[in-house]
Amino acid sequence: MNHVNSLIRLIDQGLSTQVMLNDGSMLPRFRPHDLIARGSPQTGVVVVRGTVCPDDGAPEDRVIPLCDICGVFSERPRQAHPIDPAFPLRNPVPRGWTTLRARQPG
């Protein structure tokens, strides 16, 4: 669950990160927005939802199952990002899922 702790810290601080997936690919400039779970966090499915901000192109919303993440790395320079107020409108929490952590305004 150490990825969960790292992601919670990044969500709370509003920082982007690099995420390494089990297939070896990297997602740079991933801005986690929230962690949600279907079922209990210990035995159910947990996903992190956020935005990937590529150098060339528009930001892309992503949903990444926690079981697909093998690493969460800090980015330099560390830069906080504002809350995207449209994110929850574009990505409502599905029925039967629970929000474990979400970025709070302020």
Side-chain angles (χ1 to χ4, degrees):
M1 288 288 251
N2 62 357
H3 297 316
V4 170
N5 294 333
S6 296
L7 290 165
I8 287 172
R9 187 173 55 255
L10 292 162
I11 289 167
D12 289 348
Q13 295 174 356
L15 298 173
S16 62
T17 187
Q18 273 191 84
V19 175
M20 179 181 273
L21 303 178
N22 289 333
D23 66 4
S25 63
M26 295 287 283
L27 288 176
R29 291 175 294 287
F30 177 69
R31 296 176 173 177
H33 183 274
D34 60 13
L35 282 167
I36 62 173
R38 183 178 69 210
S40 76
Q42 294 79 17
T43 60
V45 175
V46 178
V47 299
V48 59
R49 304 185 314 158
T51 306
V52 176
C53 300
D55 287 333
D56 55 351
E60 175 186 335
D61 293 344
R62 293 289 300 259
V63 175
I64 307 168
L66 201 61
C67 63
D68 289 350
I69 298 174
C70 67
V72 176
F73 306 98
S74 295
E75 291 192 324
R76 300 281 186 240
R78 293 174 62 115
Q79 181 176 335
H81 61 88
I83 293 175
D84 177 358
F87 186 90
L89 300 174
R90 291 189 311 267
N91 304 286
V93 175
R95 183 186 305 233
W97 289 69
T98 303
T99 300
L100 302 176
R101 186 65 134 224
R103 178 91 191 269
Q104 300 299 315

XYZ file of all heavy atoms in Angstrom:
817
model
N 0.814 -1.197 0.000
C 0.000 0.000 0.000
C 0.859 1.264 0.000
O 0.331 2.346 0.138
C -0.932 0.014 1.207
C -2.075 -0.964 1.141
S -3.306 -0.485 -0.044
C -4.639 -0.022 1.008
N 2.195 1.168 -0.160
C 3.015 2.372 -0.133
C 2.736 3.282 -1.326
O 2.934 4.485 -1.237
C 4.498 2.053 -0.014
C 5.016 1.255 -1.187
O 4.278 0.881 -2.094
N 6.296 0.982 -1.175
N 2.268 2.730 -2.454
C 1.872 3.586 -3.575
C 0.666 4.421 -3.179
O 0.554 5.573 -3.583
C 1.546 2.765 -4.827
C 2.707 1.992 -5.356
N 3.976 2.518 -5.476
C 2.790 0.725 -5.811
C 4.787 1.611 -5.971
N 4.090 0.515 -6.174
N -0.227 3.855 -2.395
C -1.397 4.596 -1.930
C -0.948 5.792 -1.098
O -1.419 6.916 -1.302
C -2.359 3.694 -1.120
C -3.437 4.523 -0.446
C -2.972 2.640 -2.003
N -0.023 5.580 -0.175
C 0.458 6.677 0.664
C 1.110 7.768 -0.179
O 0.887 8.956 0.051
C 1.437 6.163 1.723
C 0.759 5.261 2.723
O -0.433 5.372 2.962
N 1.508 4.341 3.285
N 1.910 7.375 -1.153
C 2.554 8.356 -2.039
C 1.509 9.125 -2.834
O 1.593 10.349 -2.966
C 3.515 7.664 -3.007
O 4.568 7.055 -2.319
N 0.529 8.416 -3.378
C -0.507 9.073 -4.175
C -1.357 10.010 -3.320
O -1.706 11.110 -3.763
C -1.368 8.038 -4.881
C -0.656 7.300 -6.011
C -1.437 6.057 -6.417
C -0.433 8.211 -7.213
N -1.671 9.609 -2.094
C -2.433 10.483 -1.188
C -1.649 11.764 -0.918
O -2.203 12.860 -0.960
C -2.791 9.747 0.116
C -3.893 8.728 -0.151
C -3.214 10.736 1.209
C -4.196 7.817 1.016
N -0.365 11.638 -0.647
C 0.467 12.814 -0.400
C 0.480 13.738 -1.629
O 0.329 14.953 -1.516
C 1.885 12.387 -0.023
C 2.770 13.522 0.420
C 4.119 13.061 0.958
N 4.847 12.216 0.025
C 4.979 10.892 0.138
N 4.429 10.251 1.144
N 5.663 10.195 -0.739
N 0.606 13.146 -2.828
C 0.616 13.947 -4.055
C -0.738 14.618 -4.301
O -0.795 15.772 -4.733
C 1.000 13.070 -5.249
C 2.447 12.582 -5.234
C 2.611 11.403 -6.165
C 3.387 13.708 -5.597
N -1.827 13.902 -4.027
C -3.164 14.485 -4.171
C -3.304 15.668 -3.212
O -3.729 16.755 -3.606
C -4.257 13.424 -3.908
C -4.298 12.406 -5.055
C -5.618 14.090 -3.713
C -5.123 11.160 -4.757
N -2.929 15.462 -1.951
C -3.079 16.515 -0.943
C -2.236 17.747 -1.268
O -2.659 18.875 -1.040
C -2.702 15.994 0.438
C -3.716 15.005 0.995
O -4.821 14.887 0.424
O -3.383 14.346 2.001
N -1.024 17.535 -1.799
C -0.124 18.641 -2.098
C -0.339 19.223 -3.491
O 0.224 20.255 -3.827
C 1.327 18.186 -1.945
C 1.677 17.817 -0.526
C 3.064 17.225 -0.393
O 3.767 17.022 -1.371
N 3.463 16.947 0.836
N -1.148 18.555 -4.305
C -1.417 19.044 -5.651
C -0.226 18.937 -6.579
O -0.051 19.759 -7.472
N 0.610 17.903 -6.391
C 1.820 17.749 -7.191
C 1.644 16.689 -8.273
O 0.922 15.711 -8.091
C 2.995 17.354 -6.290
C 3.375 18.368 -5.218
C 4.422 17.781 -4.289
C 3.856 19.669 -5.845
N 2.345 16.886 -9.378
C 2.357 15.867 -10.424
C 3.449 14.851 -10.115
O 4.313 15.076 -9.266
C 2.577 16.499 -11.790
O 3.814 17.150 -11.855
N 3.415 13.734 -10.818
C 4.345 12.643 -10.556
C 4.623 11.880 -11.839
O 3.958 12.079 -12.850
C 3.760 11.690 -9.490
O 4.742 10.724 -9.133
C 2.521 10.970 -9.989
N 5.604 11.008 -11.787
C 5.824 10.015 -12.839
C 5.325 8.692 -12.295
O 5.660 8.313 -11.177
C 7.312 9.865 -13.149
C 7.837 10.807 -14.161
C 9.229 10.387 -14.570
O 9.378 9.529 -15.430
N 10.228 10.986 -13.962
N 4.550 7.986 -13.092
C 4.032 6.692 -12.680
C 4.618 5.638 -13.616
O 4.560 5.783 -14.831
C 2.482 6.662 -12.755
C 1.949 5.280 -12.443
C 1.889 7.686 -11.806
N 5.209 4.596 -13.028
C 5.699 3.474 -13.824
C 4.675 2.357 -13.726
O 4.241 1.992 -12.635
C 7.047 2.960 -13.332
C 7.557 1.768 -14.148
S 9.123 1.127 -13.558
C 10.222 2.187 -14.476
N 4.299 1.835 -14.895
C 3.330 0.747 -14.945
C 4.043 -0.595 -15.000
O 5.236 -0.667 -15.336
C 2.415 0.932 -16.152
C 1.666 2.271 -16.195
C 0.836 2.372 -17.463
C 0.802 2.452 -14.967
N 3.331 -1.656 -14.690
C 3.921 -2.997 -14.659
C 4.518 -3.416 -15.991
O 5.430 -4.233 -16.025
C 2.872 -4.033 -14.223
C 2.516 -3.888 -12.759
O 3.311 -3.418 -11.958
N 1.304 -4.261 -12.409
N 4.013 -2.863 -17.102
C 4.562 -3.222 -18.412
C 5.848 -2.468 -18.728
O 6.411 -2.608 -19.811
C 3.523 -3.011 -19.517
C 3.149 -1.551 -19.728
O 3.742 -0.654 -19.073
O 2.252 -1.291 -20.558
N 6.326 -1.627 -17.795
C 7.575 -0.886 -17.972
C 7.381 0.505 -18.545
O 8.331 1.281 -18.589
N 6.184 0.836 -18.984
C 5.956 2.166 -19.542
C 5.859 3.198 -18.417
O 5.539 2.868 -17.277
C 4.698 2.187 -20.408
O 3.552 1.895 -19.634
N 6.164 4.440 -18.763
C 6.119 5.543 -17.803
C 5.075 6.559 -18.228
O 4.901 6.823 -19.416
C 7.476 6.257 -17.750
C 8.600 5.404 -17.213
S 8.495 5.127 -15.448
C 9.072 6.665 -14.811
N 4.390 7.110 -17.256
C 3.455 8.215 -17.482
C 4.032 9.438 -16.774
O 3.846 9.607 -15.563
C 2.080 7.912 -16.909
C 1.236 6.882 -17.615
C -0.060 6.650 -16.844
C 0.922 7.336 -19.026
N 4.764 10.289 -17.502
C 5.271 11.502 -16.854
C 4.170 12.540 -16.726
O 3.166 12.495 -17.434
C 6.367 11.979 -17.803
C 5.976 11.435 -19.136
C 5.223 10.146 -18.868
N 4.357 13.455 -15.798
C 3.428 14.564 -15.580
C 1.991 14.102 -15.354
O 1.048 14.630 -15.913
C 3.519 15.569 -16.732
C 4.842 16.319 -16.740
C 5.006 17.219 -17.919
N 5.093 16.517 -19.189
C 6.141 15.808 -19.615
N 7.194 15.672 -18.832
N 6.146 15.223 -20.782
N 1.856 13.067 -14.527
C 0.532 12.593 -14.131
C 0.110 13.367 -12.894
O 0.824 13.389 -11.890
C 0.553 11.089 -13.842
C -0.772 10.552 -13.361
C -1.857 10.491 -14.210
C -0.925 10.113 -12.065
C -3.087 10.007 -13.768
C -2.138 9.611 -11.612
C -3.221 9.563 -12.474
N -1.031 14.002 -12.970
C -1.561 14.771 -11.852
C -2.723 14.006 -11.239
O -3.833 14.023 -11.769
C -2.025 16.139 -12.332
C -0.892 16.978 -12.849
C -1.393 18.278 -13.409
N -0.280 19.143 -13.749
C -0.417 20.322 -14.301
N -1.616 20.784 -14.588
N 0.638 21.050 -14.575
N -2.491 13.290 -10.129
C -3.576 12.509 -9.525
C -4.653 13.421 -8.946
O -4.348 14.427 -8.305
C -2.880 11.691 -8.442
C -1.638 12.441 -8.128
C -1.246 13.173 -9.380
N -5.895 13.070 -9.203
C -7.017 13.857 -8.705
C -7.691 13.168 -7.520
O -7.995 13.794 -6.528
C -8.045 14.083 -9.813
C -9.179 14.951 -9.388
N -10.300 14.462 -8.762
C -9.351 16.288 -9.477
C -11.118 15.461 -8.496
N -10.577 16.575 -8.915
N -7.917 11.843 -7.649
C -8.545 11.130 -6.542
C -8.241 9.642 -6.601
O -7.735 9.135 -7.603
C -10.059 11.374 -6.484
C -10.820 10.930 -7.727
O -10.260 10.209 -8.571
O -12.000 11.310 -7.867
N -8.492 8.986 -5.480
C -8.424 7.527 -5.369
C -9.833 7.055 -5.074
O -10.489 7.586 -4.168
C -7.531 7.105 -4.199
C -6.031 7.159 -4.396
C -5.340 7.011 -3.057
C -5.581 6.080 -5.331
N -10.305 6.076 -5.842
C -11.630 5.524 -5.594
C -11.535 4.005 -5.542
O -10.595 3.417 -6.077
C -12.671 5.982 -6.641
C -12.300 5.518 -8.049
C -12.843 7.500 -6.607
C -13.385 5.807 -9.089
N -12.497 3.382 -4.880
C -12.485 1.927 -4.719
C -13.873 1.359 -4.935
O -14.871 1.990 -4.575
C -11.989 1.538 -3.331
N -13.907 0.171 -5.518
C -15.153 -0.609 -5.585
C -14.972 -1.742 -4.597
O -14.031 -2.526 -4.688
C -15.373 -1.158 -6.993
C -16.699 -1.905 -7.104
C -16.948 -2.407 -8.490
N -15.990 -3.470 -8.769
C -15.520 -3.748 -9.981
N -15.887 -3.059 -11.013
N -14.668 -4.735 -10.139
N -15.855 -1.817 -3.629
C -15.669 -2.778 -2.550
C -14.753 -2.163 -1.501
O -14.518 -0.968 -1.479
N -14.206 -2.989 -0.651
C -13.314 -2.473 0.393
C -11.945 -2.186 -0.210
O -11.514 -2.875 -1.131
C -13.184 -3.479 1.530
O -12.342 -4.536 1.153
N -11.238 -1.192 0.300
C -9.910 -0.872 -0.230
C -8.919 -2.031 -0.112
O -8.015 -2.159 -0.924
C -9.458 0.314 0.627
C -10.718 0.914 1.136
C -11.685 -0.226 1.278
N -9.101 -2.897 0.891
C -8.171 -4.007 1.086
C -8.414 -5.151 0.096
O -7.480 -5.833 -0.306
C -8.260 -4.554 2.518
C -7.798 -3.584 3.576
C -8.846 -2.524 3.906
O -10.022 -2.648 3.592
N -8.409 -1.453 4.546
N -9.659 -5.382 -0.282
C -9.963 -6.552 -1.117
C -10.611 -6.212 -2.446
O -10.737 -7.083 -3.300
C -10.906 -7.511 -0.360
O -12.124 -6.825 -0.058
C -10.264 -8.012 0.907
N -11.022 -4.965 -2.629
C -11.703 -4.583 -3.862
C -10.731 -4.031 -4.893
O -9.525 -4.216 -4.824
N -11.294 -3.336 -5.856
C -10.514 -2.699 -6.912
C -10.296 -1.244 -6.523
O -11.248 -0.529 -6.213
C -11.265 -2.771 -8.258
C -10.526 -2.017 -9.339
C -11.508 -4.212 -8.655
N -9.039 -0.798 -6.537
C -8.703 0.591 -6.235
C -8.066 1.196 -7.477
O -7.175 0.587 -8.081
C -7.734 0.704 -5.033
C -7.371 2.161 -4.766
C -8.347 0.065 -3.797
N -8.525 2.388 -7.862
C -7.943 3.081 -9.014
C -7.603 4.508 -8.618
O -8.208 5.086 -7.712
C -8.888 3.092 -10.249
C -9.191 1.684 -10.713
C -10.156 3.863 -9.983
N -6.596 5.057 -9.286
C -6.273 6.466 -9.155
C -6.717 7.131 -10.453
O -6.524 6.601 -11.544
C -4.766 6.696 -8.881
C -3.889 6.140 -9.979
C -4.474 8.171 -8.655
N -7.385 8.259 -10.310
C -7.851 9.005 -11.475
C -7.130 10.341 -11.498
O -6.893 10.952 -10.451
C -9.360 9.226 -11.403
C -10.124 7.938 -11.270
C -11.607 8.069 -11.300
N -12.140 9.136 -10.468
C -13.333 9.686 -10.659
N -14.114 9.280 -11.635
N -13.772 10.638 -9.865
N -6.758 10.770 -12.683
C -6.057 12.038 -12.798
C -5.882 12.434 -14.243
O -6.542 11.898 -15.136
N -4.957 13.355 -14.459
C -4.732 13.917 -15.780
C -3.262 13.786 -16.144
O -2.392 14.085 -15.329
C -5.132 15.410 -15.788
O -6.475 15.524 -15.325
C -5.034 16.005 -17.166
N -2.999 13.335 -17.367
C -1.648 13.319 -17.923
C -1.512 14.585 -18.762
O -2.367 14.867 -19.608
C -1.392 12.066 -18.788
C -0.022 12.136 -19.431
C -1.528 10.812 -17.950
N -0.460 15.335 -18.513
C -0.247 16.602 -19.212
C 0.973 16.488 -20.118
O 2.095 16.780 -19.702
C -0.048 17.724 -18.203
S -1.456 17.926 -17.107
N 0.782 16.053 -21.369
C 1.919 15.874 -22.266
C 2.511 17.219 -22.702
O 1.848 18.257 -22.629
C 1.313 15.132 -23.457
C -0.128 15.510 -23.454
C -0.487 15.746 -22.005
N 3.774 17.172 -23.150
C 4.423 18.386 -23.646
C 3.698 18.920 -24.874
O 3.575 20.114 -25.066
C 5.881 18.107 -24.011
C 6.744 17.927 -22.776
O 6.390 18.486 -21.725
O 7.760 17.228 -22.876
N 3.256 18.002 -25.719
C 2.629 18.404 -26.976
C 1.211 17.838 -27.045
O 1.018 16.673 -27.310
C 3.440 17.907 -28.160
C 3.666 16.412 -28.105
O 3.351 15.794 -27.077
O 4.133 15.849 -29.107
N 0.262 18.661 -26.783
C -1.113 18.189 -26.852
C -1.916 18.554 -25.630
O -1.406 19.089 -24.653
N -3.185 18.227 -25.730
C -4.118 18.546 -24.654
C -3.995 17.544 -23.513
O -3.660 16.379 -23.730
C -5.547 18.523 -25.205
N -4.269 17.972 -22.286
C -4.282 17.040 -21.157
C -5.302 15.921 -21.402
O -6.321 16.124 -22.051
C -4.707 17.906 -19.973
C -4.375 19.299 -20.379
C -4.549 19.342 -21.870
N -4.976 14.745 -20.870
C -5.830 13.565 -21.064
C -6.170 12.967 -19.713
O -5.283 12.688 -18.895
C -5.048 12.546 -21.902
C -5.730 11.232 -22.086
C -4.827 10.220 -22.793
O -3.909 10.615 -23.525
O -5.051 9.024 -22.567
N -7.463 12.775 -19.455
C -7.897 12.128 -18.220
C -7.537 10.648 -18.282
O -7.708 10.007 -19.322
C -9.404 12.282 -18.022
C -9.816 13.726 -17.776
O -8.940 14.559 -17.464
O -11.018 14.018 -17.888
N -7.031 10.106 -17.161
C -6.643 8.695 -17.099
C -7.184 8.059 -15.828
O -7.283 8.708 -14.794
C -5.110 8.538 -17.087
C -4.387 8.938 -18.333
C -4.605 7.980 -19.496
N -4.178 6.633 -19.226
C -3.037 6.100 -19.646
N -2.192 6.803 -20.356
N -2.741 4.848 -19.361
N -7.497 6.787 -15.937
C -7.871 5.957 -14.795
C -6.873 4.811 -14.772
O -6.745 4.079 -15.750
C -9.308 5.420 -14.936
C -9.635 4.469 -13.796
C -10.309 6.562 -14.997
N -6.160 4.659 -13.648
C -5.120 3.638 -13.555
C -5.423 2.735 -12.361
O -5.424 3.205 -11.213
C -3.727 4.264 -13.369
C -3.444 5.309 -14.471
C -2.644 3.193 -13.371
C -2.225 6.153 -14.187
N -5.668 1.446 -12.602
C -5.829 0.526 -11.469
C -4.541 0.484 -10.641
O -3.437 0.438 -11.198
C -6.095 -0.821 -12.132
C -6.592 -0.483 -13.505
C -5.878 0.783 -13.884
N -4.687 0.514 -9.344
C -3.521 0.506 -8.465
C -2.650 -0.729 -8.706
O -1.421 -0.646 -8.630
C -3.973 0.569 -7.007
C -2.942 1.059 -6.020
C -2.498 2.463 -6.343
C -3.488 0.984 -4.627
N -3.275 -1.852 -9.058
C -2.506 -3.080 -9.289
C -1.629 -2.978 -10.537
O -0.715 -3.792 -10.712
C -3.435 -4.290 -9.377
S -4.591 -4.221 -10.748
N -1.851 -1.994 -11.407
C -1.031 -1.795 -12.602
C 0.166 -0.897 -12.360
O 1.002 -0.714 -13.240
C -1.864 -1.200 -13.741
C -2.857 -2.182 -14.322
O -2.778 -3.388 -13.982
O -3.714 -1.752 -15.117
N 0.265 -0.300 -11.168
C 1.341 0.639 -10.848
C 2.452 -0.090 -10.110
O 2.212 -0.748 -9.104
C 0.816 1.809 -9.993
C -0.231 2.602 -10.773
C 1.965 2.704 -9.542
C -0.904 3.691 -9.957
N 3.682 0.050 -10.630
C 4.815 -0.552 -9.909
C 5.745 0.504 -9.328
O 6.656 0.167 -8.579
C 5.573 -1.535 -10.796
S 6.442 -0.815 -12.172
N 5.519 1.781 -9.639
C 6.346 2.832 -9.061
C 5.710 4.195 -9.187
O 5.029 4.484 -10.173
N 5.935 5.037 -8.169
C 5.480 6.421 -8.164
C 6.699 7.255 -7.801
O 7.305 7.050 -6.756
C 4.345 6.645 -7.133
C 3.952 8.103 -7.060
C 3.145 5.776 -7.464
N 7.074 8.172 -8.704
C 8.318 8.913 -8.539
C 8.065 10.409 -8.550
O 7.231 10.903 -9.307
C 9.293 8.563 -9.677
C 9.521 7.093 -9.818
C 8.825 6.357 -10.770
C 10.398 6.419 -8.986
C 9.013 4.991 -10.904
C 10.597 5.058 -9.105
C 9.909 4.345 -10.066
N 8.827 11.139 -7.743
C 8.733 12.599 -7.707
C 9.260 13.174 -9.005
O 10.144 12.603 -9.640
C 9.573 13.164 -6.560
O 9.052 12.760 -5.337
N 8.704 14.306 -9.378
C 9.202 15.031 -10.534
C 9.929 16.273 -10.050
O 9.619 16.830 -9.009
C 8.048 15.438 -11.461
C 7.421 14.260 -12.145
C 6.485 14.674 -13.266
O 5.801 15.695 -13.143
O 6.461 13.950 -14.267
N 10.897 16.684 -10.818
C 11.626 17.918 -10.535
C 11.487 18.828 -11.730
O 11.606 18.362 -12.846
C 13.106 17.630 -10.278
C 13.344 16.712 -9.100
C 13.222 17.478 -7.794
N 13.600 16.611 -6.684
C 12.783 16.302 -5.697
N 11.573 16.745 -5.679
N 13.183 15.542 -4.714
N 11.254 20.104 -11.575
C 10.980 20.737 -10.296
C 9.583 20.392 -9.813
O 8.696 20.132 -10.623
C 11.089 22.231 -10.619
C 10.725 22.322 -12.056
C 11.192 21.039 -12.680
N 9.419 20.379 -8.511
C 8.093 20.092 -7.940
C 7.216 21.312 -8.161
O 7.601 22.424 -7.841
C 8.219 19.771 -6.462
C 8.959 18.470 -6.243
C 9.206 18.243 -4.781
N 7.963 18.125 -4.044
C 7.564 17.030 -3.429
N 8.311 15.966 -3.456
N 6.429 16.997 -2.780
N 6.069 21.083 -8.736
C 5.177 22.186 -9.059
C 3.750 21.804 -8.700
O 3.258 20.773 -9.150
C 5.290 22.492 -10.546
C 4.437 23.632 -10.998
C 4.670 23.939 -12.471
O 5.719 23.646 -13.018
N 3.680 24.522 -13.102
N 3.117 22.636 -7.885
C 1.725 22.393 -7.527
C 0.836 22.815 -8.693
O 1.189 23.696 -9.465
C 1.354 23.164 -6.271
N -0.295 22.154 -8.824
C -1.233 22.495 -9.886
C -2.593 22.796 -9.280
O -2.955 22.253 -8.238
C -1.330 21.366 -10.916
C -1.808 20.072 -10.339
N -3.127 19.738 -10.245
C -1.130 19.032 -9.797
C -3.249 18.546 -9.697
N -2.054 18.095 -9.407
N -3.346 23.678 -9.928
C -4.670 24.007 -9.399
C -5.653 22.862 -9.629
O -5.459 22.025 -10.505
C -5.078 25.248 -10.204
C -4.307 25.127 -11.476
C -3.016 24.426 -11.124
N -6.703 22.861 -8.850
C -7.769 21.877 -9.031
C -8.456 22.164 -10.359
O -8.713 23.314 -10.702
C -8.781 21.972 -7.877
C -8.125 21.539 -6.568
C -10.018 21.149 -8.153
C -9.024 21.727 -5.367
N -8.734 21.111 -11.103
C -9.513 21.234 -12.335
C -10.979 21.058 -11.949
O -11.426 19.938 -11.702
C -9.080 20.167 -13.336
C -9.886 20.186 -14.610
O -10.827 20.995 -14.727
O -9.562 19.381 -15.507
N -11.744 22.149 -11.869
C -13.127 22.028 -11.394
C -14.007 21.189 -12.317
O -15.036 20.677 -11.888
C -13.615 23.476 -11.321
C -12.684 24.259 -12.170
C -11.388 23.510 -12.216
N -13.602 21.004 -13.568
C -14.404 20.214 -14.510
C -14.117 18.720 -14.406
O -14.872 17.912 -14.951
C -14.167 20.692 -15.934
N -13.029 18.327 -13.712
C -12.675 16.905 -13.654
C -13.814 16.049 -13.112
O -14.187 15.054 -13.727
C -11.395 16.688 -12.837
C -10.907 15.274 -12.875
C -10.018 14.861 -13.843
C -11.346 14.339 -11.946
C -9.569 13.550 -13.891
C -10.917 13.031 -11.986
C -10.015 12.641 -12.966
N -14.419 16.397 -11.959
C -15.509 15.554 -11.443
C -16.740 15.542 -12.358
O -17.495 14.581 -12.358
C -15.850 16.148 -10.086
C -14.876 17.220 -9.819
C -14.072 17.458 -11.043
N -16.921 16.605 -13.128
C -18.045 16.634 -14.065
C -17.797 15.694 -15.247
O -18.712 15.027 -15.723
C -18.281 18.058 -14.570
C -18.598 19.094 -13.484
C -18.667 20.487 -14.079
C -19.883 18.736 -12.774
N -16.545 15.644 -15.702
C -16.181 14.742 -16.802
C -16.079 13.300 -16.327
O -16.247 12.372 -17.106
C -14.827 15.141 -17.400
C -14.802 16.430 -18.153
C -13.488 16.632 -18.895
N -12.296 16.422 -18.107
C -11.635 17.371 -17.441
N -12.072 18.614 -17.460
N -10.543 17.081 -16.763
N -15.767 13.111 -15.045
C -15.482 11.786 -14.499
C -16.218 11.573 -13.183
O -15.591 11.499 -12.119
C -13.972 11.633 -14.259
C -13.167 11.878 -15.492
O -13.134 11.057 -16.383
N -12.518 13.037 -15.577
N -17.535 11.457 -13.209
C -18.242 11.236 -11.942
C -17.855 9.879 -11.337
O -17.489 8.949 -12.059
C -19.717 11.267 -12.336
C -19.732 10.984 -13.793
C -18.437 11.462 -14.354
N -17.905 9.792 -10.021
C -17.611 8.531 -9.342
C -18.735 7.554 -9.689
O -19.915 7.861 -9.490
C -17.509 8.740 -7.818
C -17.320 7.414 -7.099
C -16.373 9.704 -7.491
N -18.384 6.386 -10.234
C -19.423 5.422 -10.621
C -20.225 4.920 -9.415
O -19.721 4.876 -8.292
C -18.633 4.271 -11.247
C -17.291 4.828 -11.571
C -17.046 5.919 -10.581
N -21.452 4.512 -9.685
C -22.301 3.938 -8.640
C -21.611 2.699 -8.066
O -21.063 1.888 -8.789
C -23.645 3.539 -9.231
C -24.607 2.999 -8.199
C -25.855 2.496 -8.846
N -26.452 3.541 -9.673
C -27.706 3.942 -9.572
N -28.505 3.379 -8.718
N -28.169 4.893 -10.341
N -21.634 2.581 -6.752
C -21.027 1.436 -6.081
C -19.551 1.636 -5.754
O -18.922 0.765 -5.168
N -18.976 2.764 -6.152
C -17.578 3.082 -5.850
C -17.550 4.111 -4.722
O -18.471 4.889 -4.550
C -16.876 3.643 -7.079
C -16.622 2.630 -8.152
C -17.569 2.029 -8.925
C -15.371 2.112 -8.556
N -16.970 1.159 -9.801
C -15.615 1.194 -9.602
C -14.056 2.324 -8.151
C -14.601 0.498 -10.229
C -13.041 1.635 -8.795
C -13.310 0.728 -9.810
N -16.441 4.117 -3.970
C -16.273 5.023 -2.844
C -15.020 5.857 -3.054
O -13.984 5.332 -3.459
C -16.108 4.221 -1.532
O -17.252 3.387 -1.377
C -15.963 5.133 -0.336
N -15.113 7.147 -2.771
C -13.935 8.010 -2.847
C -13.103 7.811 -1.582
O -13.600 7.991 -0.469
C -14.351 9.485 -2.979
O -15.127 9.635 -4.176
C -13.138 10.395 -3.045
N -11.846 7.415 -1.766
C -10.940 7.232 -0.631
C -10.218 8.541 -0.308
O -9.950 8.848 0.846
C -9.909 6.154 -0.938
C -10.467 4.780 -1.299
C -9.335 3.830 -1.664
C -11.297 4.222 -0.154
N -9.853 9.280 -1.349
C -9.165 10.555 -1.168
C -9.366 11.382 -2.428
O -9.298 10.856 -3.516
C -7.684 10.328 -0.939
C -6.905 11.545 -0.611
C -7.335 12.160 0.726
N -6.180 12.492 1.514
C -6.072 12.235 2.787
N -7.033 11.649 3.434
N -5.003 12.576 3.440
N -9.616 12.667 -2.257
C -9.762 13.576 -3.386
C -9.109 14.901 -3.037
O -9.024 15.261 -1.860
C -11.230 13.789 -3.731
N -8.659 15.590 -4.039
C -8.047 16.908 -3.847
C -9.115 17.868 -3.369
O -10.195 17.964 -3.945
C -7.448 17.380 -5.169
C -6.823 18.747 -5.117
C -5.352 18.676 -4.759
N -4.843 19.985 -4.464
C -4.303 20.801 -5.340
N -4.169 20.430 -6.589
N -3.863 21.985 -4.977
N -8.810 18.574 -2.300
C -9.756 19.514 -1.716
C -9.372 20.946 -2.118
O -8.188 21.255 -2.198
C -9.741 19.414 -0.187
C -10.106 18.045 0.329
C -11.507 17.641 -0.078
O -12.449 18.408 0.016
N -11.665 16.407 -0.553
N -10.354 21.804 -2.364
C -10.036 23.200 -2.692
C -9.327 23.885 -1.530
O -9.553 23.559 -0.387
C -11.412 23.845 -2.917
C -12.386 22.736 -2.971
C -11.776 21.533 -2.343
N -8.476 24.850 -1.897
C -7.853 25.676 -0.870
C -6.494 25.346 -0.521
O -5.571 24.892 -0.770
